Amino acid sequence: MDSTLYVTSRTLVSLASTGRAPKLFAKISKNGTPIYALVFSNALGLISMLNYSVSLGKVFNYLVTISGSATYIAWAVIGVVHYRFRKA
């Protein structure tokens, strides 16, 4: 498991440094640990492991709920930015 996270995070850092992934993943800490890439890799691993403990339909519902919440938050931020733009 450790080697998988190591390879996944370093691959994500490499992709980000060449512009093929978001630049956020190219950032590393002082000691060379790619924190954002590791967190993202662990999150994907968690989602994939949910299939073992929860039925596939529930995992799909979780993902749909998360994406719906993200859409709502994005539109809320758009509304706030639009209001601040008009106010300025």
Side-chain angles (χ1 to χ4, degrees), residues 5 10 15 23 25 33 41 43 52-54 57 66-67 70-71 75 83-84:
L5 286 176
R10 293 327 191 261
L15 288 171
K23 291 288 183 188
F25 297 127
T33 305
S41 301
Y52 289 117
S53 63
V54 182
I66 289 170
S67 66
T71 303
W75 277 105
Y83 172 75
R84 301 248 339 187

Side-chain angles (χ1 to χ4, degrees), residues 20-80:
R20 296 181 180 183
K23 291 288 183 188
L24 172 73
F25 297 127
K27 295 181 182 178
I28 56 174
S29 67
K30 293 177 187 176
N31 60 357
T33 305
I35 304 240
Y36 297 115
L38 274 173
V39 169
F40 184 74
S41 301
N42 277 322
L44 287 180
L46 174 66
I47 290 172
S48 66
M49 291 300 288
L50 282 174
N51 282 332
Y52 289 117
S53 63
V54 182
S55 69
L56 189 59
K58 285 186 179 181
V59 173
F60 180 73
N61 284 337
Y62 292 153
L63 294 176
V64 168
T65 302
I66 289 170
S67 66
S69 299
T71 303
Y72 174 74
I73 291 168
W75 277 105
V77 169
I78 289 170
V80 169

